[in-house]
Amino acid sequence: ESSHLTMARSLLCLVALVTSVDGLVSHSLNTRVVRDTRASTTLNMKLFDWKRREADESAFATVDSVVFTEDNLRPAPGSKQKKKRKGRGISAGQGATCGFGMRGQKSRAGRPARPGFEGGQQPLYRRIPKLRGRPLGPGHKRVIYNPIKLDVLNAAAEGSTVTIESLLEQKALTKSTKVPLNKIVGGGELTAKGLTVQMHAFTASAREAIEGNGGSCVVISPTTGAPVTEE
């Protein structure tokens, strides 16, 4: 009976040994499969922006080799950033004082200084020279004239010379000292013929009407009043 018990115990030990060896082999095989799977996934991992910035993509991502379409356009790495959430804790880097510091004029509520203020020194808008007057007024590019309509010239006699002084003498005009320059403009109907009109400027329609009635237009100098030869 003792021999039978010994044989039974040895058989049980052998079966347990075979089972343990089989489990160890299967576990090692599963581990290899997992490791191989992980190794294959690392090759297909996401390429982050900071890696793309340092990578050399000139071999396949040049302007000549890539055709840009709506589906492959994307911003440069690092150019698109999330909105900074200020005042949401010190761990974010912009909490508490929100990046404005603890003291000083620029940390207070409201606008720290008015536009153009340079801390008390002479600001730029006071250091540069100025061109006085209105931007399109006298002294600038625009010249302002006192307009005189065509029908005012009907007070002059036919074949006479018309000046601003002669019109004032005939009381066809009232004296205007605000604008020293005078210009004949279209307006009304010109009936006088053969007039020689001496003024600082003429419009195209006024010149055509005067010359159509046998007259002539003479441009005078704004400073001396002498006739100016037109080139």
Side-chain angles (χ1 to χ4, degrees), residues 24-95:
L24 181 61
V25 170
S26 63
H27 178 69
S28 63
L29 291 176
N30 292 334
T31 305
R32 288 181 182 178
V33 171
V34 171
R35 287 180 179 176
D36 293 342
T37 307
R38 290 179 179 177
S40 63
T41 54
T42 55
L43 297 177
N44 299 327
M45 66 180 293
K46 180 181 178 182
L47 189 63
F48 293 94
D49 288 343
W50 64 272
K51 290 186 177 181
R52 287 195 62 239
R53 287 198 295 268
E54 298 176 358
D56 184 14
E57 300 179 354
S58 60
F60 60 89
T62 60
V63 179
D64 299 329
S65 62
V66 177
V67 179
F68 293 101
T69 58
E70 293 182 357
D71 56 345
N72 65 1
L73 285 177
R74 57 179 177 178
S79 62
K80 303 291 288 184
Q81 297 182 1
K82 293 183 179 180
K83 181 182 178 181
K84 292 184 179 179
R85 300 176 69 245
K86 297 189 175 185
R88 296 298 185 271
I90 60 175
S91 62
Q94 294 290 328

Side-chain angles (χ1 to χ4, degrees), residues 29-179:
L29 291 176
N30 292 334
T31 305
R32 288 181 182 178
V33 171
V34 171
R35 287 180 179 176
D36 293 342
T37 307
R38 290 179 179 177
S40 63
T41 54
T42 55
L43 297 177
N44 299 327
M45 66 180 293
K46 180 181 178 182
L47 189 63
F48 293 94
D49 288 343
W50 64 272
K51 290 186 177 181
R52 287 195 62 239
R53 287 198 295 268
E54 298 176 358
D56 184 14
E57 300 179 354
S58 60
F60 60 89
T62 60
V63 179
D64 299 329
S65 62
V66 177
V67 179
F68 293 101
T69 58
E70 293 182 357
D71 56 345
N72 65 1
L73 285 177
R74 57 179 177 178
S79 62
K80 303 291 288 184
Q81 297 182 1
K82 293 183 179 180
K83 181 182 178 181
K84 292 184 179 179
R85 300 176 69 245
K86 297 189 175 185
R88 296 298 185 271
I90 60 175
S91 62
Q94 294 290 328
T97 56
C98 302
F100 290 96
M102 298 179 65
R103 293 176 298 276
Q105 186 182 15
K106 293 184 180 179
S107 68
R108 314 300 182 189
R111 194 177 186 91
R114 66 178 184 275
F117 183 68
E118 299 182 14
Q121 72 176 14
Q122 195 76 303
L124 178 65
Y125 67 90
R126 293 190 63 185
R127 293 198 300 267
I128 59 177
K130 309 296 189 302
L131 185 59
R132 302 295 179 184
R134 292 171 295 179
L136 295 178
H140 296 264
K141 295 181 180 180
R142 183 180 179 184
V143 181
I144 298 180
Y145 293 97
N146 179 33
I148 300 175
K149 294 185 178 182
L150 274 175
D151 54 3
V152 178
L153 304 179
N154 295 329
E158 293 187 3
S160 62
T161 301
V162 180
T163 60
I164 188 66
E165 290 80 7
S166 64
L167 293 176
L168 291 174
E169 289 178 1
Q170 296 173 1
K171 296 184 179 180
L173 289 176
T174 57
K175 187 175 182 180
S176 176
T177 57
K178 293 183 179 180
V179 182

